[in-house]
Amino acid sequence: MKNLFIATAMACVLFTHAEAQPKLTLRVDKAERSVSPTLYGLMTEEINYSYEGGLYSQLLRDIAMQEMTGGQQSRRQQGGGGRPGGPAPKPRYWVLNDSTAGTLRFNTTGGINFTQKRSLSIELTKATSLENPGFWGIAVRPATTYFGDAYLKGQGKVTVGLRSLDGQKVYASQDVNLNSNEWKQYSYTFQTVADVKATKDAVFFIQFHNTGNYSLAYPTLFPKSKKTYTVKSDWYRTDIMDLLREMRPTFLRFPGGNYLEGNTFKERFDWKRTIGPLTMRPGHRSPWGYWSTDGMGLLEFLCWAEECGAEPILGVFAGYVLNSDYVEGDALEPFIKDALDEIEYTIGGPETRWGARRIRDGHPEPFKLTYVEIGNEDFFDRSGSYSHRFMQFYDAIKEKYPQLQIISTQDERTLRGNAENPAAIKVDVIDEHYYRNAEAMYRAAQQYDSYDRNGPKIFCGEWATREGSPTTNMNAALGDAAWMTCMERNSDILVAHCYAPLFVNVNQGGMQWESDLIGYDALTSFGSPSYHAQCMFAQNLGNKVVPMEAEGVPTTPMGREPVPQLYYNTTVDSQTGKLYLKLVNIGASSQTVNVVTTGAKVKGKAVVTTLKSARPEDTNSIDNPNNIVPAKSSLKVSNNFKIALAPYSISVVVM
Ligand code: AHR
């Protein structure tokens, strides 16, 4: 079995273009390798405004009053005042409609509780409104209920709502009577009418009808979700969640990525500070340079997985941060306890402290959990401490939860190389990350064929073909598809994989990392060609890998030496007998392929889904979201048939 795979993948005869007569033989009776049930999944972290201004549906910007402009502040001083002598810093995202009507000031003391210490003072000599632009706009949609609350001090009537940028049109609003000079929480709900045209050109406003002194802290605004999947459905932007469901993810790797680690210990993802009421979450700065309110906290990640029918792959903080600081030995013990508590929160019953807390937070059922990952990319930790840190976590987790599979972020050789007792190193799964251009993906498309079948399993926890920006183009999709044929073919050892980064807010200033899978602004979202390629692959997957032999595969010129023009894989569903043949033609010429199947009867009409474009640099965008999308056709198939593959195309044949 092993020999057949290696022989077909590594030693297929390559032809130059002129001689090309490719033939692929599918050996269905030899389909023995199992496809991992968790092969396709998602990876996420707070990068590119993934949650704030992205999936997290809270619409207002800087609700925690952290962001200022002017005043030459250092990072530490942000929100705390400008340098002595510098111009006074101003709130960046909170403005008075009439700037002559009064003054705005951030307070860093006297907040609503010990966690939210900051607030905004509003001193008005004229009646006016306070406005917030959201994250590059606020989505106004027809027949939509918006709800939220705010802490306010002051007296008199205010009107809270959404209106057009020019102030001419109020889309929805509600009056609220303020009646306390101490902090008081006020709730609001308003609804847009059915015939309003959807727009992102809107601001949130609080119209103060009287002059006087007011204070504001932690205002929120959410659109009510029209469908309920979990207790947290209102938390997620519906259009983006719908795109994710199409990907049929079996797992969600969170909370990072670098976002797990943070630049400093204080800025790590400290899960205990991300649960419970929003105002009890202090928030923290993402290593990608902006404030996270932690509105997307541990429970929201877990429910996100559940909303998509996926299970979590839980990344636990492992005592290493991005500025290279780390702790080990006894100093690591509190972090190990945190990880054990986090697992208990995820899967514990009512009799456990953290399981009971999850139930109080609104999720009675434990979540499914198979994999826990220790840290993120600890191959960057040059101290060699990861071997010790990893084993401390491994032993403690396995002792309490022997059923869990533990993922290491360093390869086995490095782990053993830095260990005092290499023989004691145990590792279930290794997380590998690959960011490559398309050429490198083609050259790597046989990488896993030669991996040791008896070694640890592999999790490709971050990968992408980095072509195109902000989202990837067709060239990237071709590289991705070639790489996915490799991962599928080897999914007996490659148990899971996920693309990164998943999201980008396409507005100027929204992106920190180029080549992302899904793009959006405040109103609409779209999938890149890479996104569509993944949907096609994940939606069409059997449970066994079918060995394939290739003859006459042509090459295409690239870089220092040509690469094969075709990439392919087949899986079969042993229950239904359906075959899923994936074919990738990366060349500028069309290619007719002869497909021969042995060990099973093939007949009738196959459904062919094709993604293609005229030029590899073609792409989708917020203004042209459906430029490259899959199209379906049918094809008469038999045990020996031909299929014509368009230039720059990805095809999935279901027969
Ligand atoms: O995906 C972007 C970053 O790439 C991740 O945060 C990190 O793990 C990797 O280096």
Side-chain angles (χ1 to χ4, degrees), residues 450-518:
S450 53
Y451 269 41
D452 178 4
R453 268 34 217 180
N454 300 313
K457 302 285 187 207
I458 306 297
F459 169 39
C460 191
E462 290 181 29
W463 66 268
T465 309
R466 299 194 70 194
E467 305 273 0
S469 175
T471 49
T472 52
N473 58 23
M474 189 64 199
N475 203 16
L478 293 167
D480 293 344
W483 178 238
M484 286 190 288
T485 62
C486 174
M487 292 194 285
E488 268 193 14
R489 185 168 60 246
N490 290 285
S491 66
D492 57 329
I493 53 159
L494 189 128
V495 290
H497 71 80
C498 42
Y499 188 101
L502 181 60
F503 294 142
V504 63
N505 187 313
V506 299
N507 282 287
Q508 200 179 357
M511 181 184 75
Q512 293 86 47
W513 182 284
E514 289 186 321
S515 303
D516 306 299
L517 201 66
I518 291 174

Side-chain angles (χ1 to χ4, degrees), residues 1 224 351 407 430 437 452 479 496-497 654-655:
M1 193 64 204
K224 185 114 200 80
E351 70 291 352
I407 303 174
I430 308 277
N437 63 16
D452 178 4
H497 71 80
V654 183
M655 50 190 183

Side-chain angles (χ1 to χ4, degrees), residues 45 47 257-258 288 376-377 433 435 462 500-501 513:
E45 66 174 316
I47 184 174
N258 292 159
W288 299 101
N376 174 63
E377 293 193 339
H433 294 179
Y435 293 101
E462 290 181 29
W513 182 284

Side-chain angles (χ1 to χ4, degrees), residues 105-264:
R105 207 162 25 84
F106 272 154
N107 291 319
T108 53
T109 56
I112 55 173
N113 58 32
F114 284 117
T115 307
Q116 300 299 331
K117 297 199 180 76
R118 296 187 173 206
S119 61
L120 189 65
S121 289
I122 308 142
E123 289 158 19
L124 298 182
T125 50
K126 277 193 261 174
T128 190
S129 57
L130 179 70
E131 293 182 352
N132 185 288
F135 293 87
W136 297 276
I138 294 183
V140 170
R141 299 178 202 275
T144 301
T145 301
Y146 294 82
F147 67 94
D149 47 54
Y151 290 79
L152 283 144
K153 286 185 196 175
Q155 300 286 338
K157 186 170 105 171
V158 299
T159 304
V160 180
L162 290 172
R163 70 177 171 219
S164 56
L165 289 180
D166 62 8
Q168 294 302 304
K169 192 169 167 51
V170 174
Y171 295 110
S173 68
Q174 191 199 324
D175 290 342
V176 176
N177 285 311
L178 308 187
N179 55 15
S180 171
N181 291 330
E182 298 304 320
W183 285 121
K184 184 167 171 184
Q185 189 184 19
Y186 298 90
S187 299
Y188 33 85
T189 307
F190 37 82
Q191 195 173 15
T192 53
V193 291
D195 61 357
V196 74
K197 195 166 170 284
T199 178
K200 63 180 164 52
D201 296 331
V203 293
F204 171 79
F205 69 90
I206 303 176
Q207 172 75 45
F208 295 91
H209 295 280
N210 304 300
T211 59
N213 294 344
Y214 302 90
S215 299
L216 172 72
Y218 220 87
T220 58
L221 188 69
F222 292 83
K224 185 114 200 80
S225 172
K226 289 181 179 155
K227 281 191 209 148
T228 301
Y229 296 88
T230 68
V231 67
K232 288 287 174 183
S233 287
D234 285 336
W235 241 244
Y236 316 110
R237 214 174 109 172
T238 312
D239 57 326
I240 301 179
M241 204 48 125
D242 287 346
L243 284 171
L244 297 180
R245 279 192 202 97
E246 284 295 305
M247 292 176 71
R248 307 269 173 89
T250 57
F251 66 86
L252 174 70
R253 174 184 179 233
F254 69 85
N258 292 159
Y259 186 61
L260 169 68
E261 304 160 283
N263 284 329
T264 62

Side-chain angles (χ1 to χ4, degrees), residues 41-54:
L42 305 173
M43 183 272 169
T44 184
E45 66 174 316
E46 184 56 282
I47 184 174
N48 299 330
Y49 291 84
S50 285
Y51 317 138
E52 310 282 335

